[in-house]
Amino acid sequence: MTVERQPNLKATDPEVYDLIQKQANYERTTLKMIASESYAIENVLEACGSILTNKYAEGYPGARYYEGNEFVDAIENLAIERGKALFGCEHMNVQPYSGSPANNAVYRALLNVGDKIMGVPVSDGGHLTHGWKVSFSGKDFVQIPYRPNQETGRLDMDEVREIARREQPKLIWAGMSAYPFKLDYAAFAEIAEEVGAYLVADIAHINALIIAGVHPDPVPYCDVVTSTAHKMLRGPRAGFIMSKIEDRYHEKYHPTSKWNLAKLIDRGVFPTLQGGPHMHAIAGMAAIFKYAQTDEFKSYGAQIVKNAQALCEELKALGRAIAGGGTETHLLLLDFRKEEFTGKDASQALAKCGIIANFNMVPGDQRSPSQTSGVRLGTSALTSVGMKEADMKKVAGWIDRVCANIGKIDEVAPQIRSEIAEFCGGFKFPGA
Ligand SMILES: *Cc1c(COP(=O)(O)O)cnc(C)c1O
């Protein structure tokens, strides 16, 4: 039985309605293994679909540029208070429209155009906004790259230290989009301290693991921590920024400013970068920050890693190579460097069979970024619908079958696709 969620669209705008229904049907009959995706909880969907989308509230609670803010002030304050309790941070800003604007706000808050920053290139698992050339961050700032070791797939913190000493960046990003191992924030903090750089953790991909206590917590070590509220957190499509209150580099980098770090960050978001905050998304953030404090959410966070490890072990048992040999997080990289087919061939074949993922560079990749030798697989979405280790064994079996049949995928796809659709029928998909 499906609940009718969009009765008005259904009645008067069947074009939009039908496309939403098709996507919903697709999502409940396929395996969502894109590592950055999961399923937003029902409370988030309701908050995001509310009348709060109407309100203009430029500014911050208690200091807006528009009237009529009694209730939206209360909503934003609630999101901030819950978020601070959840992460134990000193300051939180919940207004960034998404993860990229959150990171952009940090640049605008702390740096000048032309400054040097350290980040991991996209081709090595980093994010666009950490200084990649085609992004604003690489156009306005100078990326000093550091990357995981090409053999081990892991960051070598001695190498990171060497690069930082040599280049003296003003800011160091710690956080990636395709890195299967834990980050050592204590080591990053020592390096940042030594060279006098801001340390910014970007936890968009791993926030639920931090909440669950299965990944180190960056908050005590970093000047600033940025995140998305969607991805594995299961919240609205939005971003948020946490920071310390005091700017430890006030004398060094902002001697004439009258603002502390918290105020610099707030100013970086509004008015430097954004206008009116998305109040419906902020209400969704308040909703997910409540749910994320429950034991149920913490078990979900821990289960994500157990599932990724179970998937990884089964794939290895089936003879598939995994970059770096394993995972400590929600994601793993299938390594096709020794195969005839590319990462792109594999991701397209997987999609035909109902396994939705993305092709991705792996450490030591000789193929181009548009072909690659890897596929990135994440377990957040599957875990959010209740899948466990035994289910991962089945998923690994399908992935292996697809990889073994890339050359004749159109012959085997209908059978695998229907097995997966039937399997998915046993789980409940929020909102779909
Ligand atoms: C996804 C991601 C972001 C940006 O998020 P968007 O909401 O897509 O702009 C930032 N940093 C990292 C590490 C990410 O993986």
Side-chain angles (χ1 to χ4, degrees):
M1 244 274 298
T2 38
V3 184
E4 191 49 71
R5 284 170 186 281
Q6 295 104 9
N8 294 294
L9 278 176
K10 187 178 185 181
T12 61
D13 193 345
E15 280 173 289
V16 171
Y17 177 80
D18 285 347
L19 288 168
I20 295 174
Q21 292 311 304
K22 281 180 176 151
Q23 180 67 19
N25 187 53
Y26 186 65
E27 297 212 351
R28 55 169 181 254
T29 58
T30 54
L31 296 169
K32 192 196 265 288
M33 300 195 76
I34 292 177
S36 50
E37 292 186 5
S38 74
Y39 293 91
I41 64 167
E42 300 280 357
N43 285 3
V44 166
L45 296 176
E46 287 181 14
C48 288
S50 73
I51 50 80
L52 289 170
T53 197
N54 302 335
K55 184 71 190 116
Y56 248 102
E58 279 185 9
Y60 288 101
R64 306 281 194 187
Y65 291 82
Y66 293 76
E67 300 305 327
N69 299 301
E70 183 183 349
F71 307 114
V72 293
D73 275 9
I75 284 169
E76 186 164 342
N77 282 329
L78 190 60
I80 292 168
E81 287 317 312
R82 286 178 177 178
K84 281 164 68 174
L86 178 63
F87 288 98
C89 58
E90 293 178 16
H91 177 70
M92 179 173 277
N93 187 305
V94 293
Q95 293 195 0
Y97 299 146
S98 203
S100 301
N103 289 352
N104 197 354
V106 173
Y107 284 98
R108 307 305 161 183
L110 302 181
L111 307 183
N112 299 310
V113 167
D115 279 345
K116 273 189 195 177
I117 55 113
M118 264 176 75
V120 177
V122 169
S123 51
D124 294 271
H127 191 260
L128 278 171
T129 55
H130 298 180
W132 192 238
K133 236 346 188 201
V134 298
S135 138
F136 75 89
S137 62
K139 294 181 195 289
D140 285 358
F141 304 93
V142 179
Q143 188 198 53
I144 308 300
Y146 68 95
R147 34 176 73 83
N149 181 282
Q150 301 298 290
E151 256 95 70
T152 64
R154 291 179 186 256
L155 285 176
D156 172 350
M157 295 312 289
D158 292 333
E159 194 191 323
V160 175
R161 180 179 287 104
E162 235 169 74
I163 299 171
R165 277 184 183 153
R166 186 175 68 231
E167 299 284 352
Q168 299 288 311
K170 195 159 162 185
L171 183 151
I172 300 173
W173 286 103
M176 286 178 248
S177 305
Y179 186 64
F181 303 112
K182 291 177 183 170
L183 291 181
D184 184 350
Y185 299 113
F188 271 110
E190 257 181 41
I191 295 168
E193 169 95 43
E194 187 187 325
V195 303
Y198 288 106
L199 178 59
V200 186
D202 179 343
I203 61 168
H205 255 266
I206 52 170
N207 45 31
L209 310 186
I210 292 164
I211 292 165
V214 295
H215 187 285
D217 179 5
V219 171
Y221 296 105
C222 297
D223 299 281
V224 181
V225 179
T226 66
S227 186
T228 47
H230 46 288
K231 301 196 181 174
M232 65 165 58
L233 192 53
R234 309 187 66 188
R237 196 122 201 149
F240 58 98
I241 306 176
M242 301 177 260
S243 80
K244 299 268 194 299
I245 289 172
E246 291 311 322
D247 179 6
R248 64 173 158 152
Y249 297 126
H250 182 85
E251 285 311 313
K252 183 173 178 188
Y253 292 134
H254 306 109
T256 61
S257 171
K258 54 186 190 296
W259 294 322
N260 61 20
L261 184 63
K263 182 82 177 175
L264 285 170
I265 292 293
D266 284 351
R267 297 281 308 187
V269 177
F270 171 86
T272 307
L273 190 66
Q274 298 187 170
H278 294 178
M279 294 312 309
H280 59 306
I282 291 174
M285 228 183 279
I288 199 61
F289 288 162
K290 178 181 165 95
Y291 177 62
Q293 290 181 48
T294 62
D295 289 341
E296 187 176 276
F297 186 88
K298 287 174 191 150
S299 337
Y300 153 71
Q303 188 66 41
I304 290 173
V305 179
K306 289 185 201 160
N307 282 352
Q309 289 175 339
L311 179 70
C312 188
E313 288 314 307
E314 186 66 13
L315 284 166
K316 286 202 288 191
L318 292 166
R320 297 288 155 197
I322 305 296
T327 178
E328 300 166 346
T329 65
H330 61 306
L331 70 81
L332 49 109
L333 296 165
L334 279 165
D335 182 348
F336 301 129
R337 280 178 303 167
K338 295 207 176 81
E339 304 284 355
E340 294 282 303
F341 57 83
T342 67
K344 190 172 185 186
D345 295 334
S347 67
Q348 288 178 341
L350 285 163
K352 279 188 180 171
C353 298
I355 299 168
I356 316 304
N358 66 282
F359 61 87
N360 212 100
M361 300 290 273
V362 293
D365 209 324
Q366 300 297 312
R367 293 190 176 105
S368 76
S370 62
Q371 295 300 320
T372 79
S373 300
V375 163
R376 186 182 69 158
L377 297 171
T379 54
S380 308
L382 301 188
T383 308
S384 70
V385 299
M387 292 187 196
K388 297 266 162 48
E389 289 93 329
D391 303 305
M392 293 304 110
K393 282 200 158 198
K394 293 184 193 157
V395 172
W398 282 308
I399 292 169
D400 181 58
R401 253 165 82 195
V402 174
C403 294
N405 287 285
I406 301 262
K408 49 175 172 152
I409 198 65
D410 290 331
E411 285 168 43
V412 300
Q415 172 63 26
I416 299 179
R417 180 84 176 76
S418 81
E419 286 173 24
I420 286 176
E422 194 192 331
F423 173 73
C424 290
F427 297 91
K428 171 140 178 42
F429 295 78

